[in-house]
Amino acid sequence: MASIKPIPCGPCRDHSNINNMTMNIETKIEINMKKNISDMICRTDGRAIVVETLGKVNLLTSDGKLQKQLPIPDLEGNTLKSIPVETKSGLFNLVYCNDRVIYSDYNGKAVYCYDGSGKQIWQYTQDLSGPEGLCTDSYGNIIVTDYNSDRIIVISKDGQNSKVLIGRDYGLNSPQCICFKHNESSGFICDYRGTYIAKFLLSSG
C-alpha cells in the first residue's frame, strides 16, 4: 500500500538553494523494534509514529521510547482520482505537495514528480542507488533516504540538482524512512529494521 503524506509544503521560495542546505544529527537512539519499517510520521508535539510493514503502528516519545501502539481502523471511502505513473517497484513511498505527487522507485533508482493530471513533470535518476523514504522541506525540495548507499540526499524542487546531506560516515545504516516537522525544521530518520531513530536538524544557510 502506498504511503501517502498530504502535508503542507509551505511556499516554494525562489531564494531557497540546496547548496546552502545542511543536515545535522542531533541524537541517535537505539529502539530495537526489530521489525520491518514501512513509514514514519512526525507529530507536531515532538513525538513520532513508526509503522511496521504489515504490522503495528507505534507511537514513540521524542526520545525514542515506545509510548503505545495504535489501532489500525478499516478505511472506507471512494476514489476521488487516480493517475497512471511509471515505476519498476511498488508504490510504497510518496508525498503529495502543491498538487504534485512525488514518489521513489527503488528498483528503478529514480525519483519521479507528476502533476494532478498525470503528466510527468520531472524524473531524477542521477547518483541514486536505492531511494526509499522521502519528504519535502519548507521550500518544496525533496529529501530522500538512499537505502543502499546509507546516505540522505536532497533533490531540488525542479528535479534538476541534488546534494548529499549525510553520508555513510554518520553511521545511519540502511535508512528507510524520513519525516520532517516544518514548524521546527527538524525531523526523524529510521532504518529498515527499526533498530534506531535519529533526530536531525535542517538548515538552509
Side-chain angles (χ1 to χ4, degrees):
M1 181 179 294
S3 171
I4 302 177
K5 304 176 185 176
I7 55 179
C9 302
C12 295
R13 306 171 192 171
D14 292 336
H15 67 265
S16 174
N17 187 338
I18 65 171
N19 292 325
N20 298 327
M21 188 181 296
T22 58
M23 177 181 284
N24 295 303
I25 300 300
E26 187 178 58
T27 55
K28 181 183 177 185
I29 305 165
E30 302 298 324
I31 56 176
N32 294 315
M33 294 176 63
K34 296 182 180 179
K35 301 286 186 179
N36 292 353
I37 305 301
S38 64
D39 198 9
M40 182 167 52
I41 301 170
C42 291
R43 289 175 52 98
T44 56
D45 60 8
R47 294 179 293 176
I49 296 174
V50 178
V51 183
E52 301 172 15
T53 304
L54 302 177
K56 300 175 181 178
V57 177
N58 303 277
L59 177 62
L60 304 184
T61 62
S62 58
D63 57 358
K65 295 180 181 178
L66 177 64
Q67 182 172 349
K68 63 180 177 180
Q69 291 181 325
L70 306 174
I72 305 177
D74 294 330
L75 299 179
E76 297 180 359
N78 299 319
T79 300
L80 299 179
K81 179 189 293 186
S82 62
I83 59 174
V85 296
E86 177 181 346
T87 182
K88 295 181 180 179
S89 315
L91 281 173
F92 296 112
N93 298 285
L94 61 90
V95 291
Y96 180 73
C97 171
N98 295 333
D99 199 33
R100 295 184 176 186
V101 176
I102 304 162
Y103 65 93
S104 61
D105 181 354
Y106 176 85
N107 292 329
K109 300 180 180 180
V111 172
Y112 292 90
C113 178
Y114 279 73
D115 67 15
S117 69
K119 178 182 178 181
Q120 181 178 298
I121 300 173
W122 53 259
Q123 63 174 351
Y124 189 87
T125 58
Q126 302 175 41
D127 202 31
L128 294 173
S129 60
E132 285 278 6
L134 69 171
C135 63
T136 57
D137 71 358
S138 298
Y139 305 108
N141 301 308
I142 301 92
I143 306 170
V144 184
T145 60
D146 200 39
Y147 178 87
N148 290 335
S149 68
D150 301 330
R151 299 179 303 170
I152 308 299
I153 297 171
V154 59
I155 301 172
S156 60
K157 62 185 179 183
D158 60 4
Q160 299 301 306
N161 302 292
S162 71
K163 177 184 177 181
V164 176
L165 294 174
I166 289 180
R168 183 167 275 143
D169 54 337
Y170 278 78
L172 300 184
N173 301 322
S174 306
Q176 172 77 9
C177 300
I178 187 168
C179 60
F180 184 65
K181 292 176 60 180
H182 292 264
N183 61 325
E184 294 185 2
S185 295
S186 66
F188 294 105
I189 300 167
C190 185
D191 69 321
Y192 175 68
R193 289 292 294 164
T195 62
Y196 71 81
I197 184 172
K199 182 178 181 179
F200 67 85
L201 299 176
L202 196 66
S203 173
S204 297

